[in-house]
Amino acid sequence: MSREREFINETFHLLAQPITALRATMELGLSKKLNEEESHQVLEDCLSVLDRLMLDVAVFREIASLEDAPELSCHDGHSLLHSCAEEMTIVADASNVELSLTFEPVVIQCNEPSLRRAMFVLLDEMIAAAPAGSKISVILRNRANAAVLEVHPGIPHGQREKLCLKLLQFAGASDIHLEADHASVDFRKGSYRQYRAITSADKQLLTSH
């Protein structure tokens, strides 16, 4: 089975669940006479299922829009992941969740836009699921054979987890483990030379005859 057909089958299967739940809720509400409070509750239940359905559709649309083979390049993993995580500190603070960041210097091979989007989805979902007063740890380790990103406690199972997995794959991750209690992602290490900035004296030397 092709990846496209497998994705389509999985999409229809998962979207069928909230649609079935919506129909069952409406049928239950229509099967008996309800007072105003009970009718209001049925409408709230339907709205909740619709919200879930709209979120699932948005997730699948985003997965379907991903390119087949995004270009990878070398990036300073410390700076890139630190900026990704720092952008979510405001969200964490608003939810009374501590975001602990530890990054070792290492150059990684990745697709920057996909990695930034993956980090947003990962941390946003973790913060939403974390109880007030809890702590989320984001660690980048420089290992001999890979740059390892570790996140604790992890991402809850669901559609956003699937989106995060796809985004990390497109970001260039070589090994991915997403669990409810931890996440571990390996990236291939890269290298690039740091060139000295050209000074005005250098320019004069280069242009003189």
Side-chain angles (χ1 to χ4, degrees):
M1 181 183 295
S2 67
R3 290 178 57 187
E4 291 79 6
R5 182 172 295 277
E6 182 179 355
F7 173 73
I8 292 173
N9 288 342
E10 180 183 10
T11 300
F12 280 117
H13 173 72
L14 291 172
L15 292 182
Q17 296 176 6
I19 292 174
T20 301
L22 179 61
R23 181 179 180 83
T25 302
M26 296 180 67
E27 288 180 342
L28 181 62
L30 292 172
S31 65
K32 56 182 179 180
K33 293 183 178 180
L34 304 175
N35 57 36
E36 182 177 351
E37 183 177 350
E38 291 171 332
S39 298
H40 186 76
Q41 183 60 51
V42 170
L43 291 175
E44 283 190 348
D45 293 342
C46 289
L47 184 59
S48 177
V49 176
L50 279 173
D51 286 341
R52 174 190 165 192
L53 181 59
M54 291 176 65
L55 178 60
D56 287 347
V57 170
V59 168
F60 283 116
R61 180 182 295 146
E62 185 163 355
I63 293 175
S65 68
L66 295 174
E67 298 178 3
D68 290 335
E71 182 179 350
L72 305 182
S73 55
C74 292
H75 296 271
D76 180 347
H78 176 280
S79 298
L80 176 56
L81 287 167
H82 191 272
S83 67
C84 291
E86 274 203 325
E87 292 174 356
M88 298 302 295
T89 55
I90 298 177
V91 180
D93 290 343
S95 302
N96 192 23
V97 174
E98 179 184 354
L99 199 55
S100 173
L101 312 178
T102 304
F103 299 102
E104 297 178 1
V106 59
V107 177
I108 64 175
Q109 297 182 42
C110 69
N111 177 268
E112 181 178 351
S114 294
L115 181 55
R116 287 188 177 276
R117 181 60 178 148
M119 289 299 294
F120 171 81
V121 173
L122 175 64
L123 293 176
D124 184 60
E125 191 72 1
M126 289 176 63
I127 292 170
S134 60
K135 177 180 178 180
I136 295 174
S137 298
V138 183
I139 304 169
L140 178 65
R141 302 188 188 277
N142 186 356
R143 294 293 185 244
N145 57 343
V148 183
L149 175 65
E150 299 175 357
V151 184
H152 301 272
I155 184 171
H157 294 303
Q159 298 311 310
R160 299 259 285 180
E161 177 197 26
K162 294 179 181 293
L163 174 59
C164 188
L165 176 62
K166 291 289 186 181
L167 287 167
L168 286 169
Q169 290 172 343
F170 280 82
S174 57
D175 193 21
I176 307 171
H177 298 280
L178 298 181
E179 304 294 343
D181 58 345
H182 76 281
S184 176
V185 185
D186 289 7
F187 289 93
R188 295 180 181 88
K189 296 202 296 184
S191 62
Y192 55 78
R193 293 182 178 179
Q194 295 288 352
Y195 293 98
R196 181 173 59 89
I198 298 177
T199 65
S200 57
D202 294 328
K203 292 178 181 178
Q204 185 176 0
L205 180 61
L206 290 170
T207 56
S208 62
H209 297 282

